[in-house]
Amino acid sequence: MAVPLYQAKAEFFRTLGHPARIRVLELLQDGPRPVRELLASIEIEPSSLSQQLSVLRRSNLVTATREGNTVVYALSTPDVAELLRAARRILTEMIADQGTLLAELRSAGIPDAAEKTA
């Protein structure tokens, strides 16, 4: 029996639900990188990075190739980078909207939490 599309999408987004996985994908937007570079940039334990890379590989978001003793990771498709850019745009708009709301609240004379503790 086929999995409904909404369920497959939910699983896809669960795969993206770890900060280290997002960071790996962000780093790979600039091109393929060996594991040692990812490890230096993310600053997590090697075993944790290995686990997160495995999750990304199983979900086909990244590919891995061996170059001698080095494993190099790359995004499986440019669409992954586009998804990250779309997420950035959405977050930027959300934060801007929150800033607008906060400004409106302040102009209405309603103190925010920082003003209450001062």
Side-chain angles (χ1 to χ4, degrees):
M1 186 166 138
V3 174
L5 181 57
Y6 65 86
Q7 189 173 348
K9 286 179 182 179
E11 184 59 36
F12 173 76
F13 283 109
R14 271 194 292 278
T15 299
L16 297 174
H18 193 284
R21 289 183 216 141
I22 294 295
R23 187 65 184 129
V24 165
L25 296 175
E26 288 175 343
L27 291 168
L28 294 178
Q29 288 181 100
D30 296 330
R33 289 187 178 226
V35 173
R36 71 180 174 281
E37 283 184 26
L38 294 172
L39 195 55
S41 297
I42 299 175
E43 298 178 5
I44 61 175
E45 294 296 320
S47 60
S48 181
L49 178 59
S50 177
Q51 182 180 28
Q52 302 312 324
L53 288 168
S54 178
V55 170
L56 293 170
R57 234 182 14 255
R58 280 194 309 268
S59 61
N60 295 317
L61 290 170
V62 300
T63 60
T65 56
R66 185 169 291 279
E67 296 177 5
N69 290 335
T70 303
V71 178
V72 177
Y73 282 87
L75 295 179
S76 60
T77 172
D79 292 336
V80 176
E82 180 54 37
L83 176 66
L84 294 172
R85 285 190 292 274
R88 180 180 290 266
R89 287 190 303 269
I90 291 167
L91 288 171
T92 300
E93 288 178 25
M94 290 171 59
I95 291 168
D97 289 346
Q98 290 172 359
T100 301
L101 178 59
L102 181 58
E104 288 174 16
L105 289 171
R106 285 184 174 151
S107 69
I110 301 170
D112 64 14
E115 292 172 341
K116 288 180 184 177
T117 59

